Amino acid sequence: MSASHLLTPISLHKRPAAVQAHTADAPGPRVYIETFGCQMNEYDTELLRALLKKRGFHFTAIGTEADVVLFNTCAIRENAHNRLYGHLAEFKRAKQERGVVIGVLGCMAQNLKKDLLAERPFIDVLVGPDGYRRLPDLLTDALEFRKRGMAVDLSESETYDDIVPDRTEGINGWIAVMRGCDNFCSFCVVPYTRGRERSRDPKGVLDEARRLADQGVRQITLLGQNVNSYHYDDWDFAKLLVSVADINGIQRVRFTSPHPKDFPPALIEAVAQHPHICRHIHLPLQSGNDRILERMGRCYTQSDYLRLVDAIQQTGPITLTTDVICGFCGETEEEFQDTFHVMQAVEFQSAFVFKYSERKHTIAARKYPDDVPDPVKGERTNRILEWQKQISAKKNRSLYGQSVEVLVEGHSKKSETQLMGHTESNVTVVWDQSDTPCPVGSLVPVIVDEASASTLFGHPVHSGRRFKPVQ
Ligand code: 5AD
Ligand code: SF4
């Protein structure tokens, strides 16, 4: 039987007036959506908004006003699950009081499927990453007939190529160029939640990029679970990247996340040479030990990784960042030290460091005991994080007095009198607003006066003002 069959209806409490009154000429149900996890999920939320708007749904930023509450979820680590359960509990009450329809979408819906519906009877709709087109119908059934439903079939071809994402304004845009992953790294749930790898027609990607440029987007991030394994007819990822970067109006192109095994010289060359491709590569290491890398199914050794780093660095100054997992199954202190050594040899600009978290269905969950005690995982994670913080701060401080080119994004999060943007290396830069014009979307030179591990503080060239650090 198909996994996307409708389940037994449950009784919902009193329906809100807006839902009861929904007809072709009355305003449709109001939807509140929360997005967890990666940029791909943010992008998927844009697709979902487009699909729902087309069918008369409206969006609200206020959860308590909504008729439908949706969670676009992430399943990559245990804490992503826990965060969702906290949020679900908040809206359970709204369901009891107002009969709000609750939907769980994305990776967690796909991963837990019926378990989630069985354990949380207040969830009405469950939709995996390949089932978004079914969402409007499932929500309508839930709103009008009080039916629970799910769409969790994985597809080998769905790329949502014909859907124009409903994006919020801004100078940053992202485009999913491929979906799914065939790598099956043993720790990773993505191949099970997002299914088989498939690439979009480059024509669709380039049309989308041109449309974004016309809307005022200046920086595009190309997304994929394994973005550099993109291939479509005779197009590979390097060709696609260069073609997007050639589009008029696009100042910067980034991509995430690549796998170290798919780095042909043409891709390195493109990053090193093209004036609009950021000279920054996020290169997930995961572990620096050969036995652990083998267990992880990463298809490279420590020396393969270091050779790739060398090849990248020989082309000129390219910033590297990474992902690391601490405490994977069976990892000894000596094996962890190998990861530390690679971190020391490369000196990444920054690193995401994660405690290994066993995921249901994965190869590691089936094959290896999760035997590194939690406090040991935590201690190793902190050791790397602390060390990395010092390296990031050292690198940022080495820029004192130098000019960095910043893409202006708007006001800083903390103050209306400060502006912010990012360098080509993706480091955040903050500066006091002054008479020097810094229009949003422009590239401005900023002299660095102060730096922390994560942020540069400075003043735009010619403003004659120095940043006063906040105590
Ligand atoms: N446990 C811990 N970290 C994980 N990641 C992926 N799966 C797991 C897991 N089970 C990390 C990897 C990946 C990043 C997106 O999340 O480092 O690159
Ligand atoms: Fe997960 Fe590995 Fe695929 Fe990345 S490449 S999404 S870590 S399976």
Side-chain angles (χ1 to χ4, degrees), residues 76-77 187-188 284 286 323-325 354-357 359:
I76 198 107
R77 285 173 295 276
F187 53 80
C188 185
Q286 313 300 5
D323 290 345
V324 169
I325 298 178
F354 307 107
K355 271 199 313 191
Y356 172 60
S357 156
R359 308 317 292 136

Side-chain angles (χ1 to χ4, degrees), residues 183-210:
N183 283 343
F184 289 91
C185 299
S186 68
F187 53 80
C188 185
V189 78
V190 165
Y192 308 90
T193 61
R194 288 190 169 267
R196 297 289 57 75
E197 195 171 296
R198 60 221 103 115
S199 294
R200 279 177 67 182
D201 186 332
K203 190 179 166 311
V205 173
L206 294 172
D207 284 348
E208 196 169 329
R210 279 187 215 102

Side-chain angles (χ1 to χ4, degrees), residues 106-307:
C107 289
M108 236 176 110
Q110 190 68 43
N111 199 27
L112 299 180
K113 297 183 195 160
K114 285 182 196 154
D115 291 354
L116 198 57
L117 279 192
E119 284 165 18
R120 320 263 155 171
F122 55 91
I123 296 174
D124 302 292
V125 168
L126 215 55
V127 174
D130 287 344
Y132 298 151
R133 287 180 201 269
R134 294 219 32 227
L135 183 65
D137 283 342
L138 292 174
L139 290 181
T140 305
D141 281 347
L143 287 162
E144 291 181 8
F145 309 114
R146 303 176 185 190
K147 272 186 177 166
R148 300 178 87 193
M150 67 176 182
V152 289
D153 284 339
L154 287 172
S155 156
E156 293 195 353
S157 57
E158 178 64 272
T159 58
Y160 301 106
D161 204 34
D162 56 318
I163 312 290
V164 177
D166 180 64
R167 55 182 301 277
T168 38
E169 300 241 310
I171 59 145
N172 285 308
W174 34 77
I175 304 177
V177 302
M178 52 86 67
R179 300 179 74 88
C181 183
D182 287 349
N183 283 343
F184 289 91
C185 299
S186 68
F187 53 80
C188 185
V189 78
V190 165
Y192 308 90
T193 61
R194 288 190 169 267
R196 297 289 57 75
E197 195 171 296
R198 60 221 103 115
S199 294
R200 279 177 67 182
D201 186 332
K203 190 179 166 311
V205 173
L206 294 172
D207 284 348
E208 196 169 329
R210 279 187 215 102
R211 206 166 38 236
L212 290 177
D214 291 345
Q215 290 169 3
V217 165
R218 293 292 164 260
Q219 173 170 274
I220 289 181
T221 305
L222 302 183
L223 301 175
Q225 263 74 39
N226 185 16
V227 71
N228 52 338
S229 78
Y230 173 92
H231 60 278
Y232 193 99
D233 295 340
D234 62 338
W235 285 69
D236 65 2
F237 184 63
K239 185 169 170 186
L240 184 74
L241 182 66
V242 167
S243 305
V244 171
D246 281 341
I247 291 172
N248 236 344
I250 296 303
Q251 299 278 13
R252 285 181 174 176
V253 183
R254 302 183 183 279
F255 55 97
T256 197
S257 267
H259 191 296
K261 74 176 172 51
D262 296 315
F263 258 95
L267 180 54
I268 301 176
E269 205 58 22
V271 176
Q273 301 293 336
H274 197 292
H276 297 302
I277 300 175
C278 290
R279 279 166 295 172
H280 165 212
I281 296 176
H282 184 70
L283 197 64
L285 167 66
Q286 313 300 5
S287 167
N289 174 269
D290 288 352
R291 188 184 76 100
I292 297 295
L293 284 168
E294 164 91 49
R295 280 192 150 199
M296 287 178 162
R298 289 292 288 176
C299 311
Y300 54 84
T301 61
Q302 183 198 87
S303 57
D304 293 335
Y305 186 93
L306 289 173
R307 256 199 307 277

